[in-house]
C-alpha cells in the first residue's frame, strides 16, 4: 500500500467522522440523512432533516429564529441558500436603523416537502413551502409557495410545468403513500389548471 492510498483512507475516515458530527448537531435528524459541509451554518439546531433527505455541500442558512425543514426523501444539490427572515420598514424610521433589529415575529420556517428536488444554487426565502415532488431548477429564487409536482425555474421562480398530470400523480402516490397521505385529485387539478391559466 503506497502513501497516497493510506492518505486517501485516512481522509475518508476524517470526512465520515465530520459528517457524523454535523448530523449529531441537527435539530432533528432522521435515518439515512446526508449533509455535506455547509458554507454558512451558525446554528445546526435550526436544520431538521427527515428520513432519506440529503443536502449536498455548500448550504448557507441565514436565520435568526426560523428553521429549514427537509421532509422525507427530499434532496438538494450544492449551494442551497435558505433565508428565514426578512427586514421590515417602519413609518418614520430609516431602514438602516430598523434593519439591524432582529425580530422573531418576521422569521418564518422554510419547508421542503417529501420527494422534492432542489437544483444547484437554489435560494429559498422566508416562509416558503416547496410542495411534495416539486423540482426547483438550478439558480431559482423561490419567494412563494410551490405547488406539488411542479417544475419551477427563474428569479423570481415561476412554475413552468408539472412532472405529472393530476391523474398520473394519483397513480404515482398510490404506489408510495398511504391513502390518508395522498394529495386529493381536486387539489392537484386546481394547481394544474391555475398554472395553465397563468401561462396562456
Amino acid at each position: 500500500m503506497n502513501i497516497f492510498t493510506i492518505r486517501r483512507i485516512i481522509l475518508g475516515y476524517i470526512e465520515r467522522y465530520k459528517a457524523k458530527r454535523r448530523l449529531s448537531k441537527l435539530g432533528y435528524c432522521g435515518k439515512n440523512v446526508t449533509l455535506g459541509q455547509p458554507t454558512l451554518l451558525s446554528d445546526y439546531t435550526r436544520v431538521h432533516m427527515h428520513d432519506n433527505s440529503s443536502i449536498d455541500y455548500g448550504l448557507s442558512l441565514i436565520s435568526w429564529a426560523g428553521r429549514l425543514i427537509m421532509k422525507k426523501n427530499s434532496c438538494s444539490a450544492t449551494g442551497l441558500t435558505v433565508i428565514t427572515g426578512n427586514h421590515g420598514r417602519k413609518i418614520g424610521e430609516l431602514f438602516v436603523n430598523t434593519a439591524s433589529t432582529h425580530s422573531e415575529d418576521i422569521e418564518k420556517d422554510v419547508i421542503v416537502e417529501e420527494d422534492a428536488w432542489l437544483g444547484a444554487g437554489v435560494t429559498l426565502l422566508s416562509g416558503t413551502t416547496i410542495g411534495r415532488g416539486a423540482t426547483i431548477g438550478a439558480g431559482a429564487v423561490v419567494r412563494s409557495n410551490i405547488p406539488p409536482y411542479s417544475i419551477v425555474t427563474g428569479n423570481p421562480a415561476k412554475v413552468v410545468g408539472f412532472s405529472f398530470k393530476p391523474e398520473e400523480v394519483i397513480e404515482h402516490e398510490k404506489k408510495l403513500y398511504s391513502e390518508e397521505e395522498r394529495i386529493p385529485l381536486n387539489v392537484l387539478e386546481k394547481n394544474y389548471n391555475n398554472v395553465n391559466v397563468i401561462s396562456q
Side-chain angles (χ1 to χ4, degrees), residues 2-3 5 10 12 16 22 30 32 34 63 69 81-82 88 103 115 117 119 127 169 186 195:
N2 66 34
I3 188 72
T5 304
I10 292 170
R16 283 192 292 279
R22 285 193 293 272
N32 196 31
T34 304
S63 174
I69 301 169
T81 299
V82 178
S103 174
D115 192 29
W117 164 244
V169 173
N186 64 324
V195 170

Side-chain angles (χ1 to χ4, degrees), residues 114-118 130-136 146-152:
E114 300 92 349
D115 192 29
W117 164 244
L118 311 177
I130 307 302
R132 177 189 292 170
T135 301
I136 313 300
I146 302 302
Y149 297 99
S150 59
I151 300 168
V152 172

Side-chain angles (χ1 to χ4, degrees), residues 132 147-149 162 165-171 173-174 177-193:
R132 177 189 292 170
Y149 297 99
F162 285 87
K165 293 178 181 171
E167 301 78 21
E168 293 172 326
V169 173
I170 297 299
E171 289 304 309
E173 292 205 346
K174 277 183 186 176
Y177 301 100
S178 63
E179 192 169 346
E180 59 275 2
E181 291 178 303
R182 296 177 202 154
I183 301 170
L185 181 61
N186 64 324
V187 172
L188 295 166
E189 287 175 336
K190 182 179 176 186
N191 290 334
Y192 193 83
N193 292 332

Side-chain angles (χ1 to χ4, degrees), residues 9-22:
I9 291 169
I10 292 170
L11 289 174
Y13 279 120
I14 291 169
E15 182 48 42
R16 283 192 292 279
Y17 171 77
K18 287 180 180 178
K20 278 181 140 177
R21 290 230 345 121
R22 285 193 293 272

Side-chain angles (χ1 to χ4, degrees), residues 24-164:
S24 71
K25 295 190 274 184
L26 296 180
Y28 176 81
C29 184
K31 298 174 187 168
N32 196 31
V33 168
T34 304
L35 175 62
Q37 179 65 45
T39 300
L40 176 63
L41 181 54
S42 59
D43 188 350
Y44 280 77
T45 65
R46 300 211 182 286
V47 179
H48 293 230
M49 298 181 71
H50 293 254
D51 295 355
N52 304 312
S53 61
S54 172
I55 302 174
D56 209 337
Y57 67 87
L59 168 66
S60 292
L61 176 61
I62 302 167
S63 174
W64 179 252
R67 299 172 299 168
L68 167 61
I69 301 169
M70 297 278 291
K71 298 284 186 78
K72 293 187 291 187
N73 306 307
S74 59
C75 51
S76 172
T78 60
L80 174 63
T81 299
V82 178
I83 302 169
T84 63
N86 207 340
H87 296 293
R89 288 187 175 269
K90 293 182 180 176
I91 295 172
E93 289 188 33
L94 297 173
F95 180 74
V96 72
N97 295 333
T98 59
S100 61
T101 305
H102 296 292
S103 174
E104 293 191 14
D105 62 342
I106 58 171
E107 288 272 335
K108 296 179 182 173
D109 291 346
V110 171
I111 300 169
V112 180
E113 296 287 358
E114 300 92 349
D115 192 29
W117 164 244
L118 311 177
V122 165
T123 299
L124 306 178
L125 299 182
S126 180
T128 55
T129 296
I130 307 302
R132 177 189 292 170
T135 301
I136 313 300
V141 177
V142 180
R143 303 185 322 181
S144 58
N145 293 341
I146 302 302
Y149 297 99
S150 59
I151 300 168
V152 172
T153 61
N155 178 8
K158 290 188 182 346
V159 176
V160 296
F162 285 87
S163 297
F164 304 117

